[in-house]
């Protein structure tokens, strides 16, 4: 699959405002965007760290994926996102190799990226996102 880099780490938090204050005031990063993704039932906040980003995720619905995650496991690292080129072919390759796909085809994610998730039961417990920038 050869990801080019880690696009972002997704971190589930109960309060975006409180978590943003920590990342800005303690780590010294700058939140450059806050975006709601209604299909995913989350509000997100982004920080750049070199080529990688931190994506904070606050649930907008207790029945959404992040709401359920926090209810079960509490706040913490929620997923890792790898940047790939040729997303559909990489998904097909993963499926051929026995990986359970949450998304068989790419869909739109935050920041205009095309994204797809691999199921954590197939990826050693780590929810894995593949993303591709359609403008590159
Ligand atoms: N990391 C690791 N394991 C996870 C997980 C996560 N983030 N989320 C759920 N799981 C595990 C649960 O612990 C549970 O394990 P057990 O069966 O051992 O208890 C299992 O997956 C099923 O969990 P569930 O709470 O019953 O939830 P669902 O099966 O309904 O959904 C999942 C799980 C991963 C399919 C769903 O969360 C999903 O589709 N995620 C992808 C979309 C997403 O997470 N969007 C939010 C971010 C969007 C963005 O970046 O913009």
């Amino acid at each position: 699959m050869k990801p080019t880099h880690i696009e972002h780490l997704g971190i589930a938090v109960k309060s975006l405002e409180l978590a943003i204050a920590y990342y800005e005031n303690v780590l010294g990063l700058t939140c450059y965007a806050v975006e709601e993704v209604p299909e995913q039932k989350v509000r997100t906040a982004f920080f750049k760290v070199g080529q990688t980003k931190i994506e904070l995720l606050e649930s907008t619905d207790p029945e959404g994926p992040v709401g359920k995650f926090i209810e079960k496991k509490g706040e913490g690292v929620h997923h890792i996102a790898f940047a790939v080129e040729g997303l559909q072919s990489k998904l097909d390759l993963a499926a051929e190799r026995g990986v359970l796909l949450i998304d068989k085809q790419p869909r739109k994610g935050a920041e205009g990226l095309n994204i797809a998730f691999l199921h954590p039961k197939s990826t050693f417990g780590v929810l894995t996102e593949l993303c591709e920038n359609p403008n590159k």
Side-chain angles (χ1 to χ4, degrees):
M1 251 201 227
K2 292 239 169 67
T4 53
H5 59 284
I6 293 176
E7 212 285 332
H8 66 265
L9 291 174
I11 298 177
V13 300
K14 289 182 184 162
S15 160
L16 214 52
E17 275 61 43
L18 291 177
I20 288 171
Y22 163 74
Y23 279 85
E24 290 199 325
N25 301 336
V26 180
L27 289 180
L29 300 173
T30 301
C31 174
Y32 69 88
V34 172
E35 181 182 345
E36 183 158 348
V37 187
E39 315 81 66
Q40 300 286 321
K41 301 187 165 81
V42 289
R43 224 157 53 91
T44 62
F46 285 94
F47 304 81
K48 288 194 177 116
V49 190
Q51 208 184 352
T52 299
K53 297 166 194 156
I54 299 286
E55 178 188 34
L56 301 181
L57 300 157
E58 178 193 75
S59 180
T60 55
D61 179 341
E63 289 307 311
V66 172
K68 282 166 81 177
F69 176 88
I70 289 183
E71 177 66 31
K72 252 191 182 166
K73 302 195 185 197
E75 294 177 298
V77 176
H78 179 261
H79 66 268
I80 183 167
F82 293 106
V84 296
E85 286 163 8
L87 179 52
Q88 183 66 66
S89 67
K90 301 295 161 74
L91 286 175
D92 296 344
L93 179 80
E96 265 168 44
R97 305 222 166 146
V99 174
L100 185 60
L101 305 183
I102 294 173
D103 302 297
K104 292 191 175 57
Q105 288 166 348
R107 54 177 153 141
K108 281 281 166 216
E111 300 202 300
L113 297 179
N114 293 332
I115 65 164
F117 283 93
L118 311 182
H119 202 286
K121 295 281 175 212
S122 286
T123 55
F124 300 87
V126 177
L127 176 61
T128 300
E129 179 179 347
L130 302 179
C131 27
E132 180 173 46
N133 186 341
N135 302 314
K136 268 198 178 162

